[in-house]
């Protein structure tokens, strides 16, 4: 099947593939620009993006804002005509500052989840930045769309439906993920598509629906399109590429993963999440945890250094640098067997002959 283009509020991608934002430091300018150059949409993760700045420990917010501008500039230089976006967690205590900084630097689009991003329209008002919420159900989709319309007279430029097989933080209850009773992506997608199509007819607009979570190859993409999606978002498949911004050790954790190694955990944020069952994960969850040496204050309302089993930010810093840490992954990580390049991967995902 020849894949169609994806139109997000006038931004036209040759392929309907969005590379998912992966933090901390996994999808930065190098990976995002490479995907954009191949006709997809590249996403820079805005989560603690300035973690490599020497001044980060002293003033993480300032370092993050600086890095947002720097990574956008790098991506623009590497992909002058590509579509570049950023991903932000709406639960971050400095969410508004980070979104505004990305908008100030002319980011093409922002994808936002980890809670319902109800404040996002106000943060991009009067700009050309497109916005896409991440939802896990038709109910969540309805809440976001009706809120944006009522409070801000804003229509999303697309909706990302994320299923339970995604990596990182997930919009499902811990017990439901562990016992496999979550609604499947295929079912949630069809319900969201049905709601969005009705909403489109009422408002006389077009809102692309993007399927995410467990999408790994061309056949998966075709299946999602046949179920009504306009495109897909993929993360795990892009980690094992030469262009991925993560350290080789992080990529190797994916390649070494065996069936059953993708573990459901309760993140210090209070959200369920999926990660590789590494030595770090076992120490954090099975052997008493890891004391917090320094709190970065990224989510003070959710994470408390005296109670959390480990510092999430520091665990992700270590992982990105290939020093162990917490390695987030999708449910199908065990199907990744080698490091490839973004051009080769995109060629396969497009269903083109070898």
């Amino acid at each position: 099947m020849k894949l169609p283009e994806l139109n997000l509020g006038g931004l036209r991608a040759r392929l309907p593939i969005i590379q998912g934002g992966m933090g901390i430091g996994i999808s930065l300018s190098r990976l995002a620009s490479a995907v954009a150059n191949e006709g997809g949409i590249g996403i820079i993760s805005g989560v603690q993006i300035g973690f490599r700045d020497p001044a980060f420990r002293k003033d993480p917010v300032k370092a993050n804002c600086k890095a947002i501008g720097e990574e956008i500039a790098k991506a623009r230089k590497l992909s002058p005509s590509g579509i570049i976006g950023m991903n932000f967690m709406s639960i971050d205590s400095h969410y508004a500052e980070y979104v505004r900084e990305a908008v100030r630097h002319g980011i093409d689009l922002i994808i936002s989840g980890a809670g319902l991003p109800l404040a996002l329209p106000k943060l991009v008002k009067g700009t050309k930045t497109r916005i896409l919420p991440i939802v896990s159900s038709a109910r969540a989709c309805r809440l976001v769309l009706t809120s944006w319309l009522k409070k801000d007279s804003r229509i999303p430029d697309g909706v990302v439906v994320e299923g339970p097989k995604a990596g990182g933080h997930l919009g499902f209850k811990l017990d439901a993920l562990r016992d496999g009773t979550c609604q499947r992506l295929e079912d949630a997608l069809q319900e969201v598509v049905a709601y969005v199509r009705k909403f489109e007819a009422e408002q006389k607009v077009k809102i692309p629906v993007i399927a995410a979570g467990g999408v790994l190859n061309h056949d998966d993409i075709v299946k999602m399109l046949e179920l009504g999606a306009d495109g897909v978002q993929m993360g795990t498949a892009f980690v094992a590429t030469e262009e991925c911004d993560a350290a080789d050790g992080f990529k190797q954790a994916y390649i070494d993963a065996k069936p059953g190694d993708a573990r459901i955990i309760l993140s210090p944020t209070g959200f369920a999440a999926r990660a590789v069952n590494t030595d770090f994960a076992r120490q954090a969850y099975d052997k008493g945890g890891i004391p917090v040496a320094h709190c970065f204050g990224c989510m003070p309302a959710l994470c408390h250094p005296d109670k959390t089993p480990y510092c999430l930010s520091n665990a992700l810093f270590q992982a990105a640098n290939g020093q162990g840490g917490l390695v987030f992954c999708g449910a199908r990580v065990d199907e990744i067997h080698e490091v490839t390049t973004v051009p080769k991967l995109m060629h396969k995902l497009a269903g083109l002959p070898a």
Side-chain angles (χ1 to χ4, degrees):
M1 175 183 177
K2 184 178 186 303
L3 300 184
E5 71 170 19
L6 177 61
N7 184 348
L8 300 177
L11 294 174
R12 295 179 178 274
R14 180 169 54 82
L15 294 173
I17 300 171
I18 300 175
Q19 160 254 310
M22 296 173 285
I24 293 170
I26 309 305
S27 64
L28 297 174
S29 55
R30 189 162 181 251
L31 177 58
S33 61
V35 174
N37 283 335
E38 295 302 315
I41 295 175
I43 304 296
I44 298 168
S45 170
V47 181
Q48 299 287 58
I49 189 172
F51 75 104
R52 290 192 174 103
D53 190 312
F56 180 84
R57 192 179 181 91
K58 181 179 180 181
D59 192 343
V61 176
K62 183 178 179 180
N64 285 333
C65 287
K66 177 185 175 186
I68 286 170
E70 291 175 345
E71 289 298 323
I72 292 174
K74 290 177 186 176
R76 293 286 186 217
K77 184 175 181 179
L78 293 168
S79 181
S81 58
I83 302 174
I84 304 293
M86 289 198 72
N87 178 292
F88 293 102
M89 295 171 59
S90 65
I91 58 173
D92 193 299
S93 57
H94 298 280
Y95 176 71
E97 294 168 74
Y98 297 152
V99 169
R100 288 194 177 107
E101 190 68 14
V103 170
R104 189 171 75 85
H105 286 277
I107 198 68
D108 290 325
L109 61 95
I110 288 173
I111 297 175
S112 189
L116 299 179
L118 302 182
L120 188 53
K122 288 183 175 64
L123 302 177
V124 303
K125 188 175 181 180
T127 75
K128 294 181 179 180
T129 300
R130 280 69 164 181
I131 51 177
L132 292 81
I134 300 174
V135 301
S136 57
S137 66
R139 178 178 177 273
C141 182
R142 177 179 58 80
L143 286 171
V144 174
L145 267 61
T146 54
S147 174
W148 285 16
L149 183 62
K150 181 180 180 180
K151 296 180 180 178
D152 301 286
S153 299
R154 178 66 191 248
I155 303 294
D157 298 290
V159 172
V160 178
V161 186
E162 189 171 88
K165 293 184 179 181
H169 290 104
L170 304 166
F172 300 91
K173 292 182 178 180
L174 184 69
D175 289 344
L177 284 161
R178 284 178 170 165
D179 62 25
T181 58
C182 294
Q183 186 179 37
R184 299 186 315 150
L185 171 60
E186 293 87 344
D187 299 325
L189 173 62
Q190 291 179 86
E191 290 182 7
V192 170
V193 167
Y195 172 75
V196 168
R197 298 302 172 241
K198 180 181 178 183
F199 186 92
E200 288 176 330
E202 293 171 351
Q203 302 299 324
K204 297 180 174 54
V205 295
K206 172 62 180 174
I207 305 173
V209 177
I210 313 301
V215 181
L216 203 65
N217 54 45
H218 176 73
D219 289 344
D220 296 332
I221 296 172
V222 171
K223 180 180 179 181
M224 295 302 144
L225 296 180
E226 290 176 342
L227 290 174
D230 298 281
V232 298
Q233 178 176 280
M234 308 171 61
T236 297
F238 285 103
V239 169
T241 60
E242 293 178 6
E243 296 86 351
C244 178
D245 296 274
D248 289 344
F250 189 100
K251 301 173 188 180
Q252 193 63 45
Y254 273 45
I255 295 169
D256 292 343
K258 303 294 189 296
D261 280 351
R263 176 174 181 170
I264 298 298
I265 61 172
L266 183 64
S267 161
T269 63
F271 283 85
R274 179 177 281 108
V276 179
N277 193 30
T278 59
D279 289 341
F280 180 95
R282 287 187 286 272
Q283 179 65 44
Y285 289 98
D286 303 331
K287 301 178 181 179
I290 300 165
V292 176
H294 175 80
C295 178
F296 296 94
C298 46
M299 289 173 285
L302 299 173
C303 180
H304 306 283
D306 58 331
K307 297 178 181 179
T308 183
Y310 59 93
C311 172
L312 178 61
S313 287
N314 194 57
L316 296 176
F317 300 158
Q318 291 177 323
N321 290 329
Q323 300 168 345
L326 187 67
V327 179
F328 279 153
C329 68
R332 298 173 65 185
V333 65
D334 59 282
E335 296 179 44
I336 304 295
H337 302 301
E338 62 181 356
V339 173
T340 183
T341 67
V342 167
K344 288 180 180 178
L345 176 59
M346 291 291 280
H347 190 86
K348 284 186 177 181
L349 293 176
L352 300 175

